[in-house]
Amino acid sequence: MSRPSSAGPSANKPCGKQQHAPSPAAAPTAAATISAAGPGSSALPAAAISGPGGGGGGGGGGPVSPQHHELTSLFECPVCFDYVLPPILQCQAGHLVCNQCRQKLSCCPTCRGSLTPSIRNLAMEKVASAVLFPCKYATTGCSLTLHHTEKPEHEDICEYRPYSCPCPGASCKWQGSLEAVMSHLMHAHKSITTLQGEDIVFLATDINLPGAVDWVMMQSCFGHHFMLVLEKQEKYEGHQQFFAIVLLIGTRKQAENFAYRLELNGNRRRLTWEATPRSIHDGVAAAIMNSDCLVFDTAIAHLFADNGNLGINVTISTCCP
């Protein structure tokens, strides 16, 4: 499904949207008009192995001893330098390679010997079960060490993993630290309008545009930045749905400190959605997949629209501790 692209002098199009400056507000709330167009062997130091039960208690922080580092280095994959975790397979000469890389190789990357038949290294698996491995994002700040069974799940949600550009769509492939997200948006997505205040009006224009369309703007309040997204999708032929959500440019823990309310008003009708904002770590797609956002169809949109333009009142508030 194609997304329409924006056009015009100096148009910036990484998100596939174009935003216009807000018109003078007659009401106490701010208003923005958003026009859519639409990531060998080695001795094992005994002191480096955790004690009974030490490997499965969730992770820990603190400095890693040289002995522990020496031990975990024995599990490093020679291809990707991540850790070789159970089930651990070796080549006929005893060299290890992680399962993910093994699937892409035709021979051992160390000795060029055959990787078949698969040989299980049960001794190294027992050692791995007694060791706490550092998170793969240790170099960007994560201090956790984890049992190998906990490591993959943690890394999927680790707050220190690179953040992807939060703009919906697949056009922007940028990734970076959380601190760099706003700088990226300001420089690469200059067309996104930003409004200040706890209460604003998000006015999306041309909601009757065909195909999949995104409307995006930023709201700044309480010392944080929030991304407002309205996305139109055609779930099946002839049936279109709108999804509206607020994302925090921050971590999941920070997002728990806020609440947002989206409200459609008009023709003596009112439609309201209240929720905790999602972190940009989760993204828009996950919220839409779980319907964890304001969802309405074209018929509802037309009840509240004015000449093809839809206004959504957006209120951000802080949660009581």
Side-chain angles (χ1 to χ4, degrees), residues 21-64:
S23 58
T29 58
T33 299
I34 311 300
S35 177
S41 60
S42 177
L44 305 180
I49 303 178
S50 58
V64 176

Side-chain angles (χ1 to χ4, degrees), residues 49-100:
I49 303 178
S50 58
V64 176
S65 69
Q67 292 86 358
H68 186 272
H69 179 74
E70 182 181 349
L71 178 58
T72 56
S73 67
L74 298 177
F75 291 87
E76 287 182 0
C77 174
V79 179
C80 67
F81 301 106
D82 201 352
Y83 293 106
V84 181
L85 302 177
I88 297 177
L89 303 177
Q90 66 176 47
C91 74
Q92 295 182 18
H95 302 124
L96 308 181
V97 63
C98 76
N99 291 321
Q100 187 172 1

Side-chain angles (χ1 to χ4, degrees), residues 25-313:
T29 58
T33 299
I34 311 300
S35 177
S41 60
S42 177
L44 305 180
I49 303 178
S50 58
V64 176
S65 69
Q67 292 86 358
H68 186 272
H69 179 74
E70 182 181 349
L71 178 58
T72 56
S73 67
L74 298 177
F75 291 87
E76 287 182 0
C77 174
V79 179
C80 67
F81 301 106
D82 201 352
Y83 293 106
V84 181
L85 302 177
I88 297 177
L89 303 177
Q90 66 176 47
C91 74
Q92 295 182 18
H95 302 124
L96 308 181
V97 63
C98 76
N99 291 321
Q100 187 172 1
C101 291
R102 186 185 180 93
Q103 296 173 12
K104 306 173 186 177
L105 298 171
S106 58
C107 62
C108 173
T110 303
C111 69
R112 303 300 176 185
S114 175
L115 291 173
T116 56
S118 297
I119 303 173
R120 191 91 172 260
N121 193 320
L122 299 178
M124 288 297 282
E125 289 186 10
K126 288 183 179 180
V127 176
S129 296
V131 175
L132 294 179
F133 292 90
C135 170
K136 70 188 299 181
Y137 302 114
T139 55
T140 55
C142 185
S143 61
L144 287 181
T145 54
L146 307 110
H147 189 268
H148 73 82
T149 58
E150 302 168 327
K151 194 170 181 289
E153 182 178 358
H154 162 75
E155 290 170 349
D156 282 343
I157 62 173
C158 179
E159 301 290 0
Y160 292 93
R161 77 175 187 181
Y163 283 73
S164 299
C165 175
C167 286
S171 60
C172 184
K173 303 299 184 180
W174 178 89
Q175 285 191 332
S177 67
L178 177 60
E179 293 73 19
V181 171
M182 279 306 299
S183 177
H184 164 73
L185 293 174
M186 292 174 63
H187 291 88
H189 303 276
K190 296 179 181 179
S191 59
I192 297 179
T193 302
T194 301
L195 292 181
Q196 304 287 331
E198 306 164 26
D199 299 283
I200 61 99
V201 176
F202 178 14
L203 185 59
T205 64
D206 302 324
I207 63 169
N208 295 320
L209 284 170
V213 188
D214 300 307
W215 295 262
V216 180
M217 68 168 290
M218 301 295 298
Q219 181 175 355
S220 181
C221 58
F222 301 112
H224 287 79
H225 300 284
F226 299 84
M227 174 171 278
L228 283 56
V229 177
L230 176 64
E231 184 165 315
K232 181 171 72 169
Q233 295 184 1
E234 189 167 328
K235 286 298 185 180
Y236 50 88
E237 187 175 357
H239 182 75
Q240 295 180 326
Q241 284 186 304
F242 290 83
F243 304 86
I245 188 172
V246 173
L247 306 174
L248 172 69
I249 309 296
T251 66
R252 294 183 181 92
K253 187 174 182 180
Q254 289 174 326
E256 293 173 358
N257 296 322
F258 299 96
Y260 73 91
R261 183 175 73 247
L262 303 178
E263 192 171 272
L264 299 177
N265 284 294
N267 300 319
R268 301 178 67 178
R269 297 177 177 87
R270 177 180 296 176
L271 180 62
T272 302
W273 168 266
E274 295 183 350
T276 300
R278 285 196 170 223
S279 164
I280 56 168
H281 198 99
D282 300 310
V284 175
I288 292 178
M289 183 181 300
N290 298 314
S291 295
D292 186 17
C293 53
L294 176 61
V295 183
F296 52 96
D297 60 18
T298 304
I300 296 295
H302 288 162
L303 287 176
F304 295 98
D306 182 13
N307 294 321
N309 304 321
L310 182 66
I312 305 177
N313 297 307

